[in-house]
């Protein structure tokens, strides 16, 4: 019975979404009925495919589903109709003084992080802006702002997947905003790395994402049964404390942030020789890093 | 006047054409897909599996329920049935007979008859041999529709052929008592069902023919005569019934038939397997994340620090009553399981947390589940053994050959503490206060003032645990809708125990239904004790005491229980009714036994003095499987203490079902909804509700049940 209901829903869905069916797809050899059938088939296939990409297999992310849906429709001979996108206000802007402002907040990268480069940051159903900073000792930082036009962000732990492992999670409130952090570590291209990620929820529909990664100091032998050596553990503790303090202060002084973080670069930044051979897109270090 | 033969002449050619063109014979369904042989037991118009009026030898699969409603003029049938062990089908049915007024001038409406029945498969279909079953229909009460039968069914290609012999109304014989002019005599059905087999017997036969797996043509030659049919208005009937059964989805069956050559029958049924993951697919549970920071803390901590870390992590994961003790080589962890329906799953979760965090020198895990303020089950396992089982590298038997699940855990504690008394346990604090609010609907069935009387309310409850094992519990009900006040139901005794229920249930507004303190404690010799005092329910307040202990690995148990209570004033929230006649007490010996542990069948006996002073025994037989419990109770007491004829000779009986919360949820949740249906409200065989009970209500939570469900530990 559940399958029947799902099938009925899928059959009805394309009909009820007239902008999609009427205005967005063209196929000279097919009519509206075929469009409805193809659209329903592709939606079902895309939903199933997108489910496979989730961490726990429990929900279909909109972005992955839309991508799969578009590919499926193109395979069936449909072409997306030309559409002129309306100019949209970015989720955040980079001011000449280096501050990133959006969602009613202004953040400034810590001392030593410079040369912000805008990143391509698409957010289905909303707007996103992101920048990549390069810091001392081959450290990297991304800051991104996301604003949903519809719906809301749920508070959730930051995702992580291999080759990285969780060192610790934390949740706290800064300037009245809920913050969820993740401290992780792992090895990429032979280089041991430490990472800090955070989600800051701003209202129901806004979210700021921060990810910082930097190489860990030289090799360290972990005790039996553990994955981190003592010096790496201490480095991670220091790394965590630094970025947490920076985030808390940045949020507390949002929109008038002129103070610099406390003296001292990120942990072990001064003597980390290995360059990073990959870049981090916003929000999800883990998911994109294998590329 | 119906014109049956015109209808038949129109329908028959269509049916015959359908039979000749038979996709089912080629294994195709309505959508042209082929599949495996899918012949399955289909509902009749009644609550049992069968053709139309005639039974066949098929039964519902094990632990599957079916609800059905159908109409075959002048009858309307409403029923529920349950398949057990692929051999037995039991059911209850309410038959409404249109045109016969049960209580002239009252709002009761048409005559309604409740009945129960069962069918047992004696031999399953095997090669050329048919399936053989016997059945009893309408086994107690008026016996207006009582019958018994032996029946054979054999599948031949897409057809399922049935032949049977029946007695009672299936033998053309009316055996029930008069029911309208006179009060029906209880025992009519019982007298027939226990009577000699040498009485009027008639043959019946028929077939179900799968045109498609979703569409079945069914026809029968009925052995029922018009004279034997209670309330049937005509005598010239054709003994043939035929029609179609359509299943748009496997769980649903819609049917239409022409009955007796003159009456159109329509019906629908819905069946579902009793599984805790019911209406919604469960969301996958988040795995326990092992953080390297915690592993480092565990690595550098001493025994006390490690115990604190593990206890904190178990508490953060949702377990309560957590206590942990560590030694150089082992961890002792106690926790109550408020998360999982299956205790095996709780063992697995705790095991994963301990194994994920404990340093390498910890080799043995003692995982103890706490219930009723004491360890109920204790698992001792090596870490490697547990990990290998959870990772599906060894099977259940291999795991259990190296692990032990023990009742109460005394031997495991001796083993753990053999090297000396370990330090004090780490025990993070629990929340001591909780509250709940839930809507409730109470229904009084079968009153002459109206067959269905409802009371809708919202129940508010709150609890506070001031000491280990102690619980203050308060409960109040806010009435939203109530037509109990219109019930025509007077007390049967000068000092009624339950037949004054209308006094307590007909009010409006808010009623304090419970305000009591309950303390569970441990007595010598491993006996659990419980004392309670306060307002136990809307009608009673007083004190209670109980003891209980399991034996033989939880297969047996025994205890004592007593209450002394006084009637509450129905017009006051707190006042009690004065006088000797409002004082009641009970005293019981409680016995418990698991009769068939692998199938979750257990039995409870309550022997002693019931509320009204009637002495006897209450038998409670039930099966707990897939987290559902279905049971029946029957209370046989000496009813000489009663004055009312309706109480004298009566035996309180009923059925109940415990439905897991998870059935209605998208995730696993511990806890159950309880529904009970008793035959009649009488004063015989009554007890008083208590805030908690030590007497078990299912075998879940005991070692034999957990061992048999050990594979649940590997559920994702």
């Amino acid at each position: 019975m559940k399958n029947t209901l799902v099938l009925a829903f899928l059959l009805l869905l394309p009909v009820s979404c007239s902008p999609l069916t009427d205005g967005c797809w063209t196929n000279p050899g097919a009519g509206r009925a075929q469009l409805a059938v193809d659209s329903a088939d592709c939606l079902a296939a895309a939903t199933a495919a997108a489910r496979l990409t989730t961490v726990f297999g429990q929900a279909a992310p909109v972005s992955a589903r839309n991508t799969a849906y578009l590919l499926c429709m193109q395979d069936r001979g449909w072409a997306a109709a030309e559409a002129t996108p309306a100019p949209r206000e970015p989720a955040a802007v980079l001011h000449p003084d280096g501050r990133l402002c959006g969602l009613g907040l202004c953040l400034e990268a810590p001392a030593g992080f410079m040369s912000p480069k805008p990143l391509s940051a698409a957010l289905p159903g909303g707007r996103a802006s992101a920048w990549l900073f390069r810091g001392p000792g081959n450290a990297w930082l991304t800051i991104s702002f996301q604003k949903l036009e519809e719906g809301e962000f749920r508070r959730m732990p930051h995702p992580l997947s291999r080759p990285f492992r969780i060192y610790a999670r934390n949740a706290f409130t800064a300037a009245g905003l809920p913050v969820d952090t993740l401290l992780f570590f792992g090895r990429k291209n032979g280089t041991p790395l430490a990472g800090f990620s955070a989600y800051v929820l701003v209202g129901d529909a806004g979210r700021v994402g921060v990810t910082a990664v930097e190489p860990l100091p030289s090799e360290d032998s972990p005790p039996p049964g553990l994955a981190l050596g003592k010096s790496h553990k201490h480095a991670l503790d220091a790394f965590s404390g630094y970025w947490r303090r920076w985030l808390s202060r940045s949020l507390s002084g949002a929109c008038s942030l002129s103070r610099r973080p406390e003296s001292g670069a990120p942990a072990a930044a001064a003597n980390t020789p290995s360059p990073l051979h990959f870049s981090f897109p916003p929000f999800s270090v883990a998911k994109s890093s294998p590329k | 006047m119906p014109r049956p033969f015109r209808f038949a002449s129109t329908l028959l050619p269509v049916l015959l054409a359908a039979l000749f063109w038979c996709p089912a014979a080629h294994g195709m369904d309505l959508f042209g897909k082929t599949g495996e042989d899918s012949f399955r037991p289909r509902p009749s118009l009644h609550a049992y599996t069968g053709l139309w009026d005639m039974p066949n030898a098929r039964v519902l699969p094990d632990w599957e329920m079916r609800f059905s409603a159908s109409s075959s003029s002048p009858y309307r049938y409403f029923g529920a049935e349950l398949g057990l062990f692929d051999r037995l089908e039991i059911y209850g049915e309410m038959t409404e007979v249109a045109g016969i007024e049960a209580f002239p001038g009252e709002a009761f409406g048409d005559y309604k008859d409740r009945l129960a029945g069962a069918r047992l498969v004696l031999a399953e279909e095997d090669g050329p041999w048919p399936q053989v079953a016997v059945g009893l229909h309408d086994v107690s009460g008026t016996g207006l529709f009582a019958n018994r039968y032996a029946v054979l069914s054999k599948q031949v290609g897409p057809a399922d052929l049935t032949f049977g012999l029946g007695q009672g109304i299936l033998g053309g014989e009316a055996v029930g008592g008069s029911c309208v002019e006179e009060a029906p005599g209880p025992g009519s059905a019982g007298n027939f069902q226990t009577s000699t087999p040498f009485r009027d017997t008639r043959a019946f036969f028929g077939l179900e023919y799968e045109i498609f797996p979703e569409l079945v043509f069914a026809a029968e030659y009925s052995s029922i005569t018009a004279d034997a049919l209670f309330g049937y208005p005509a005598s010239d009937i054709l003994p043939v019934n035929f029609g179609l059964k359509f299943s748009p989805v496997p769980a649903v069956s819609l049917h239409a038939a022409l009955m007796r050559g003159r009456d159109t029958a329509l019906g629908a049924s819905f069946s579902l397997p009793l599984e805790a993951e019911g209406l919604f697919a469960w969301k996958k549970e988040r795995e326990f994340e092992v953080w390297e920071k915690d592993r480092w803390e565990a690595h550098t901590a001493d025994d006390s620090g490690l115990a604190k870390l593990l206890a904190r992590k178990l508490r953060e994961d949702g377990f309560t009553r957590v206590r942990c003790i560590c030694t150089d080589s082992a961890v002792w962890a106690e926790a109550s399981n408020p998360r999982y329906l299956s205790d095996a799953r709780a063992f697995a979760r705790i095991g994963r947390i301990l194994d994920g965090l404990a340093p390498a020198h910890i080799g043995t895990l003692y995982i103890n589940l706490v219930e009723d303020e004491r360890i109920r089950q204790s698992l001792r396992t090596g870490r490697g053994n547990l990990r290998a089982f959870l990772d599906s590298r060894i099977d259940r038997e291999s795991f259990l050959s190296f692990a032990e699940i023990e009742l109460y855990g005394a031997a495991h504690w001796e083993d753990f503490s053999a090297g000396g008394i370990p330090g004090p346990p780490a025990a993070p604090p629990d929340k001591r206060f909780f509250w709940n609010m839930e809507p409730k609907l109470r229904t009084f069935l079968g009153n002459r003032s109206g067959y269905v009387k409802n009371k809708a309310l919202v129940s508010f409850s709150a609890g506070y645990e001031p000491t280990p094992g102690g619980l203050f519990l308060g409960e109040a009900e806010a009435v939203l809708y109530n037509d109990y006040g219109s019930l025509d139901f007077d007390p049967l005794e000068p000092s009624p125990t339950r037949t004054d229920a209308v006094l307590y249930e007909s009010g409006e507004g808010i009623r304090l239904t419970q305000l009591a303190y309950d303390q569970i404690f441990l007595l010598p010799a491993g006996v659990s004790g419980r004392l309670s005092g306060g307002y136990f329910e809307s009608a009673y307040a007083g004190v209670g005491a109980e003891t209980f202990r399991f034996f033989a690995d939880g297969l047996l148990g025994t205890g004592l229980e007593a209450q002394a209570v006084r009637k509450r004033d129905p017009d006051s929230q707190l006042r009690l009714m004065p006088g000797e006649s409002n004082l009641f007490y009970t005293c019981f010996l409680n016995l418990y036994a698991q009769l068939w542990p692998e199938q979750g069948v257990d039995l409870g006996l309550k022997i002693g003095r019931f509320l009204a002073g009637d002495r006897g025994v209450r038998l409670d037989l039930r099966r707990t499987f897939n987290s559902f419990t279905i049971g029946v109770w029957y209370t046989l007491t000496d009813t000489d203490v009663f004055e009312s004829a309706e109480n004298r000779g009566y035996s309180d009986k009923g059925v109940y079902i415990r439905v897991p919360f998870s059935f209605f949820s998208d995730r696993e949740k511990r806890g159950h909804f309880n529904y009970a249906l008793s035959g009649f409200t009488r004063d015989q065989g009554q007890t008083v509700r208590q805030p908690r009970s030590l007497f078990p209500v299912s075998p879940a939570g005991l070692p034999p049940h957990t061992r048999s469900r050990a594979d649940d530990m590997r559920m994702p």
Side-chain angles (χ1 to χ4, degrees), chain B residues 307 310-312 314-315 319-325 331-337 346-347 350 354 365-371 373-379 408-410 412-413 416 425-428 430:
Chain B
L310 297 177
R312 189 181 79 230
L314 289 173
R315 184 71 191 84
F319 292 97
T320 57
R321 306 279 196 278
V322 174
R323 286 156 49 96
C324 284
I325 307 174
V331 170
W332 178 273
E334 298 176 13
S336 184
N337 166 27
F347 274 134
I350 296 171
L354 301 182
L365 305 178
Y366 295 83
I367 306 172
N368 303 276
L369 294 182
V370 174
E371 199 162 327
E373 307 302 330
R374 69 180 303 184
I375 293 169
R376 173 70 67 81
Q377 299 182 84
S378 177
L379 167 69
Y408 293 147
H412 287 177
W413 174 253
F416 175 76
D430 287 308

Side-chain angles (χ1 to χ4, degrees), chain B residues 27 142 172 206 351 423 457 519 524 699:
Chain B
T142 63
L457 54 93
Q519 177 72 48

Side-chain angles (χ1 to χ4, degrees), chain B residues 66-400:
Chain B
R66 181 193 287 150
F67 300 92
S68 60
S70 58
S71 170
S72 169
S73 179
Y75 307 105
R76 285 187 284 272
Y77 307 105
F78 304 91
E81 63 184 306
L82 173 70
L84 288 168
F85 317 122
D86 295 327
R87 284 279 184 162
L88 184 64
E89 183 174 289
I90 56 176
Y91 56 89
E93 181 177 281
M94 196 272 282
T95 306
E96 190 174 27
V97 187
I100 297 182
E101 209 173 350
F103 302 104
E106 304 271 6
F108 187 86
D110 293 327
Y111 182 80
K112 297 168 182 69
D113 187 80
R114 288 179 294 177
L115 61 84
R119 179 182 305 162
L120 176 67
V121 174
L122 299 179
E124 292 183 316
E125 186 173 357
D126 184 17
W129 302 103
Q131 185 146 307
V132 183
V134 292
L136 304 175
H137 182 77
D138 197 355
V139 294
S140 69
T142 63
L144 290 172
F145 300 97
N147 64 65
R148 62 191 181 194
Y149 55 87
V151 62
L152 316 175
S153 288
K154 177 80 185 80
Q155 187 176 349
V156 180
D160 196 44
L161 310 177
T162 290
F163 175 82
L165 296 172
Q167 294 180 337
I169 66 163
L170 286 181
E173 185 185 6
V175 295
S178 173
C179 60
V180 181
E181 291 82 8
E182 308 166 20
S188 297
N191 291 343
F192 163 72
Q193 299 293 5
T194 56
S195 67
T196 171
F198 302 106
R199 58 191 304 157
D200 291 348
T201 304
R202 288 166 63 93
F204 59 87
F205 54 87
L207 88 165
E208 286 183 319
Y209 191 94
E210 262 189 13
I211 302 168
F212 299 98
E214 298 87 355
L215 185 66
V216 167
F217 169 75
E220 67 185 12
Y221 172 82
S222 170
S223 59
I224 299 174
T225 63
D227 295 340
L229 264 180
F230 168 73
Y232 194 71
S235 57
D236 56 332
I237 62 173
L238 192 67
V240 174
N241 307 317
F242 64 89
L244 293 171
K245 300 178 182 179
F246 175 58
S247 297
V249 291
V252 174
S253 179
L254 310 171
H255 23 273
L258 183 66
M259 303 292 290
R260 300 173 280 274
R262 52 188 300 144
D263 305 313
T264 304
L266 296 171
S269 71
F270 174 75
S271 60
L272 73 165
L274 297 182
E275 293 173 355
E277 189 172 358
L279 300 181
F280 308 100
W282 284 352
K283 287 180 178 170
K284 195 173 175 182
E285 185 186 52
R286 286 190 63 195
E287 289 181 11
F288 174 72
E289 287 180 343
V290 180
W291 299 351
E292 187 69 5
K293 187 175 185 180
D294 292 329
R295 283 157 53 85
W296 254 97
E297 185 180 339
H299 174 75
T300 54
D302 59 9
D303 291 346
S304 171
L306 178 60
K308 284 178 184 167
L309 169 69
L310 297 177
R312 189 181 79 230
K313 284 293 173 180
L314 289 173
R315 184 71 191 84
E316 287 173 359
D317 203 53
F319 292 97
T320 57
R321 306 279 196 278
V322 174
R323 286 156 49 96
C324 284
I325 307 174
C326 297
T327 64
D328 282 347
S329 60
V331 170
W332 178 273
E334 298 176 13
S336 184
N337 166 27
R339 293 188 52 174
Y340 300 99
L341 273 170
S342 159
D343 280 340
R345 298 255 289 143
F347 274 134
R349 183 73 177 191
I350 296 171
R352 286 190 191 278
I353 293 172
L354 301 182
D355 181 49
L357 294 174
H361 59 81
I362 301 288
T364 307
L365 305 178
Y366 295 83
I367 306 172
N368 303 276
L369 294 182
V370 174
E371 199 162 327
D372 294 336
E373 307 302 330
R374 69 180 303 184
I375 293 169
R376 173 70 67 81
Q377 299 182 84
S378 177
L379 167 69
R380 177 176 61 190
T381 177
R383 287 175 74 178
N385 184 39
L386 178 67
R387 204 179 302 149
F389 179 60
L390 296 179
D391 294 344
S392 300
R393 285 184 276 118
I394 58 174
D395 61 12
R396 181 172 68 108
E397 286 69 28
S398 303
F399 169 66
L400 290 176

Side-chain angles (χ1 to χ4, degrees), chain A residues 81-113:
Chain A
E82 290 288 332
T84 306
R88 297 205 300 176
E89 186 184 346
V93 293
L94 174 64
H95 288 278
D97 61 1
R99 292 183 305 151
L100 298 172
C101 295
L103 305 174
L105 300 173
C106 287
L107 299 180
E108 186 177 17
F113 283 85

